């Protein structure tokens, strides 16, 4: 096969032509023997696959889960949208590296792609005692009650002062547990001032039954001060309502019966608020302990949609991948970062002095980005340990069961370098010796190569996240 762009014969394993950058019509898997050897070195073996196809109820269950968590593959036209480094950027990056070294390039990259870490977001959660505030705060942070840093969900207690809980991976996203209205410290007269209402991007008003008098007063005050404020009414413990309905009837409720009950509950909440002259209320029904049930994922999606444009990326990247929608948002942002990450990496590959380095200069930035993908998609060791504990299995068993490979490659720099070496490298070309444009052509070729490398790894992480989500749903249901 010859390249349709330059007419040269590319290698069979290339996804794009390293001579001219044209995307090739036939895409092939680039995983090689290095990958197999790396996995084998950890004594991890995939379970043998059965020739029998699932049938009956099992097949229906798998189909339902697969439909809920669609494939996260990023698409084969990725390189067509890559923002190639310009002549001006090349000169700027090259001069920066020449004057201050590769560390300055890394700092510039950090400012470019991780500015969201400096954005402050505050979410307030309030309601009366027993409304389920602590459980909700833990769930939206991706934690269980016995995880380090989780809010205490033990005995029913009264929140005495505003207490903030930072997202584990970004302390600038704070979820606040606010005291209920009507205590001696937080009376109606001083409540909004004492809790610092003006600092919050959202207020979520929780109740495990009907919204009470103090809840109604607070909602009215917030809407009086800011009619378009992001105030949400969250009815918790819906799973308890369904169980109570089952216990009170001889006939087992069908899925349709349960859906009708949910609509009755929502209409009752809406009627309750309308009677208090609160119209167009945003009402959501949730089970705090199951982020896949009812409208928990809807709340998270609304938080992302309603936050200001300047804060949206910070919200997405700070939330754990607790819902399919959040994972999809994260993948879109991670994919968009590749152009920015590959530019300084390509400059380093061409211009950095690597005489004293064990590995090429680009290894460090590519490894850090790959580790970031795993962290964002809930595949880092800490996140997987929490999931394994939730599933009551050992971490190694979880990794083997799902045939996870990405963690092998980023375990250490040596293994990552070995994995990286399995990808086709830029080959010498007479064009690279041309004055003025030779190095520019080489930089852009490196950028395309790094983009394919990062996309391939991100696709791997996306598939592992997909399989992990499916496994959790099927195991915990």
């Amino acid at each position: 096969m010859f390249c349709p762009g330059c007419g040269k014969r590319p290698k069979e394993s290339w996804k794009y032509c390293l001579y001219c950058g044209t995307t090739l019509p036939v895409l092939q898997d680039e995983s090689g023997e290095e990958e197999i050897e790396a996995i084998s070195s950890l004594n991890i073996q995939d379970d043998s696959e059965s020739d029998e196809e699932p049938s009956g109820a099992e097949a229906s269950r798998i189909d339902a889960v697969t439909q809920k968590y669609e494939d996260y593959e990023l698409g084969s036209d990725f390189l067509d949208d890559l923002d190639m480094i310009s002549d001006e950027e090349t000169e700027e990056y090259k001069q920066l590296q020449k004057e201050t070294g590769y560390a300055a390039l890394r700092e510039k990259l950090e400012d470019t792609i991780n500015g969201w870490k400096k954005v402050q977001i505050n979410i307030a959660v309030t309601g009366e005692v027993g409304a389920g505030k602590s459980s909700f705060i833990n769930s939206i942070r991706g934690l269980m009650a016995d995880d380090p840093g989780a809010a205490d969900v033990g005995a029913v207690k009264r929140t005495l002062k505003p207490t903030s809980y930072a997202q584990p991976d970004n302390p600038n996203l704070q979820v606040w547990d606010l005291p209920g209205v009507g205590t001696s410290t937080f009376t109606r007269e001083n409540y909004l001032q004492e809790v610092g209402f003006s600092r919050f991007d959202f207020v979520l008003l929780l109740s495990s039954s009907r919204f009470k008098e103090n809840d109604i007063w607070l909602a009215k005050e917030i809407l009086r001060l800011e009619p378009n404020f992001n105030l949400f009414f969250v009815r918790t413990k819906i799973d308890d309502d369904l169980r109570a309905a089952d216990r009170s009837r001889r006939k087992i409720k069908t899925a349709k019966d349960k859906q009708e009950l949910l609509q009755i509950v929502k209409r009752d909440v809406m009627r309750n608020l309308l009677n208090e002259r609160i119209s167009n209320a945003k009402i959501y029904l949730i089970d705090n302990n199951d982020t896949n049930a009812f409208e928990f994922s809807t709340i998270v999606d609304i938080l992302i949609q309603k936050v200001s444009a300047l804060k949206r990326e910070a919200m997405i990247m700070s939330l754990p991948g607790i819902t399919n929608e959040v994972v999809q948002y994260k993948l879109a942002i991670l994919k968009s970062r590749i152009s920015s990450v590959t530019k300084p990496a390509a400059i380093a590959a061409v211009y950095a002095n690597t005489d004293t380095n064990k590995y090429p200069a680009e290894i460090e930035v590519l490894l850090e980005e790959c580790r970031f993908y795993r962290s964002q998609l809930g595949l880092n060791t800490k996140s997987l340990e929490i999931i394994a504990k939730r599933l009551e299995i050992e971490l190694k068993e979880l990794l083997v069961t799902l045939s996870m490979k990405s963690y092998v490659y980023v375990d250490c720099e040596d293994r990552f370098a070995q994995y990286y070496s399995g990808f086709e490298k830029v080959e010498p070309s007479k064009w690279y010796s041309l004055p003025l444009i030779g190095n520019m052509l080489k930089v852009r070729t490196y950028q395309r190569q790094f983009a394919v490398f990062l996309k391939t790894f991100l696709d791997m992480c996306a598939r592992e996240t997909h399989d992990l989500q499916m496994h959790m749903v099927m195991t915990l249901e």
Side-chain angles (χ1 to χ4, degrees):
M1 179 191 71
F2 292 92
C3 172
C6 65
K8 295 184 178 182
R9 185 190 295 274
K11 293 187 178 181
E12 291 182 357
S13 60
W14 290 2
K15 290 187 175 182
Y16 68 96
C17 179
L18 289 182
Y19 301 119
C20 68
T22 301
T23 302
L24 299 175
V26 178
L27 302 176
Q28 300 188 17
D29 186 10
E30 295 188 4
S31 58
E33 295 180 359
E34 293 83 357
E35 173 181 316
I36 298 172
E37 292 173 359
I39 297 174
S40 299
S41 68
L42 295 188
N43 296 320
I44 297 174
Q45 298 178 351
D46 296 345
D47 294 335
S48 59
E49 296 182 359
S50 172
D51 293 332
E52 298 181 4
E53 294 290 335
S55 59
E58 182 183 0
S60 299
R61 179 182 177 83
I62 293 175
D63 288 344
V65 175
T66 303
Q67 184 178 6
K68 183 169 186 177
Y69 294 102
E70 68 246 29
D71 187 17
Y72 294 149
E73 197 78 17
L74 297 180
S76 59
D77 59 347
F78 167 73
L79 278 176
D80 296 338
D81 299 325
L82 187 66
D83 178 20
M84 298 304 300
I85 189 169
S86 65
D87 294 351
E88 293 76 12
E89 287 175 314
T90 300
E91 286 301 318
E92 178 188 356
Y93 290 170
K94 184 174 69 173
Q95 193 66 25
L96 187 63
Q97 178 170 280
K98 181 179 178 181
E99 294 176 354
T100 57
Y102 187 47
L105 272 180
R106 297 296 306 281
E107 291 177 6
K108 182 175 179 62
L109 174 61
E110 177 72 17
D111 292 339
T112 301
I113 63 176
N114 290 327
W116 58 270
K117 292 182 178 179
K118 301 176 182 178
V119 176
Q120 185 74 38
I121 300 176
N122 292 289
I123 302 172
V125 179
T126 188
E128 295 193 341
V129 175
K133 292 186 295 178
S134 296
S135 296
F136 178 85
I137 289 170
N138 289 336
S139 292
I140 203 169
R141 297 167 65 224
L143 300 177
M144 298 292 285
D146 54 352
D147 290 332
D152 183 13
V153 295
V156 175
K157 65 183 189 308
R158 183 179 295 277
T159 303
L160 301 178
K161 63 179 181 178
T163 305
S164 65
Y165 295 90
Q167 287 298 100
D169 294 327
N170 182 18
N172 279 331
L173 176 54
Q174 301 273 343
V175 185
W176 291 79
D177 182 357
L178 300 187
V181 182
T183 66
S184 58
T185 306
F186 295 91
T187 62
R188 289 187 177 184
E189 289 73 23
N190 67 4
Y191 185 85
L192 294 178
Q193 181 178 354
E194 290 294 328
V195 302
F197 165 74
S198 60
R199 62 181 153 170
F200 298 118
D201 297 277
F202 303 93
V203 172
L204 281 68
L205 186 53
L206 273 58
S207 176
S208 59
S209 57
R210 300 189 72 181
F211 288 95
K212 305 296 193 325
E213 181 181 348
N214 283 329
D215 298 327
I216 298 296
W217 175 86
L218 177 59
K220 284 184 173 180
E221 282 299 295
I222 291 174
L223 295 175
R224 179 180 65 82
L225 294 173
E226 291 193 39
N228 296 318
F229 187 77
N230 290 316
L231 171 66
F232 304 125
F233 295 85
V234 183
R235 176 68 158 75
T236 63
K237 304 183 181 180
I238 292 300
D239 50 316
D240 289 344
D241 291 86
L242 293 178
R243 282 194 290 269
D246 281 338
R247 287 196 299 269
S248 65
R249 298 169 181 264
R250 296 182 185 276
K251 180 182 175 182
I252 298 176
K253 298 181 73 62
T254 65
K256 182 179 179 181
D257 293 334
K258 293 179 179 179
Q259 190 60 38
E260 289 177 352
L261 176 60
L262 293 177
Q263 293 303 317
I264 290 172
V265 172
K266 181 167 281 193
R267 285 197 295 269
D268 181 62
V269 174
M270 187 176 297
R271 189 181 304 112
N272 172 214
L273 297 177
L274 284 173
N275 288 339
E276 299 293 341
R277 287 177 284 194
I278 299 177
S279 58
N280 300 318
K282 303 177 183 70
I283 304 167
Y284 303 97
L285 314 181
I286 68 168
D287 170 8
N288 280 337
N289 299 312
D290 187 353
T291 58
N292 296 308
F294 310 115
E295 295 179 308
F296 197 103
S297 62
T298 305
I299 291 179
V300 175
D301 192 51
I302 288 294
L303 292 178
I304 292 171
Q305 294 297 329
K306 290 292 186 180
V307 76
S308 68
L310 292 174
K311 295 185 176 184
R312 188 161 296 131
E313 181 177 352
M315 175 74 81
I316 294 169
M317 301 303 273
S318 301
L319 288 172
I322 52 178
T323 69
N324 179 52
E325 290 78 11
V326 172
V327 171
Q328 292 291 342
Y329 286 128
K330 284 179 178 289
L331 283 171
I333 291 176
L334 294 175
K335 178 183 174 183
S336 71
R337 289 164 56 103
I338 291 179
S339 292
S340 298
V341 173
T342 53
K343 289 178 181 180
I347 291 293
V350 176
Y351 294 105
N353 182 0
T354 59
D355 293 341
T356 59
N357 295 347
K358 183 178 181 180
Y359 296 114
E362 66 268 18
I363 285 288
E364 183 180 353
V365 66
L366 295 176
L367 173 56
E368 184 173 321
E369 186 69 1
C370 288
R371 284 174 171 168
F372 183 71
Y373 293 165
R374 297 187 70 252
S375 176
Q376 278 292 310
L377 297 175
L379 299 173
N380 58 320
T381 302
K382 181 180 178 181
S383 298
L384 291 177
E385 285 176 342
I386 291 175
I387 292 173
K389 183 178 179 181
R390 195 172 302 175
L391 298 176
E392 299 181 345
I393 60 176
E394 295 295 324
L395 174 59
K396 185 175 181 180
E397 181 182 348
L398 177 65
L399 297 173
V400 172
T401 299
L402 297 179
S403 301
M404 289 187 171
K405 298 181 292 185
S406 65
Y407 77 98
V408 176
Y409 304 133
V410 300
D411 180 54
C412 64
E413 190 177 45
D414 289 343
R415 187 158 290 156
F416 183 79
Q418 181 185 7
Y419 170 59
Y420 172 73
S421 68
F423 284 74
E424 295 294 344
K425 298 299 180 293
V426 175
E427 295 187 350
S429 168
K430 61 181 181 181
W431 303 107
Y432 300 153
S433 62
L434 293 175
L436 300 179
I437 67 169
N439 279 337
M440 170 57 73
L441 292 174
K442 193 174 182 180
V443 165
R444 290 179 177 174
T445 304
Y446 267 112
Q447 186 186 357
R448 291 189 184 94
Q449 176 184 295
F450 297 156
V452 171
F453 174 81
L454 289 177
K455 177 189 176 295
T456 301
F457 190 84
L458 182 55
D459 281 343
M460 183 194 306
C461 294
R463 288 191 296 271
E464 290 182 355
T465 298
H466 168 265
D467 293 344
L468 180 62
Q469 294 273 26
M470 288 178 61
H471 182 70
M472 289 183 64
V473 169
M474 296 173 67
T475 304
L476 295 175
E477 278 189 354

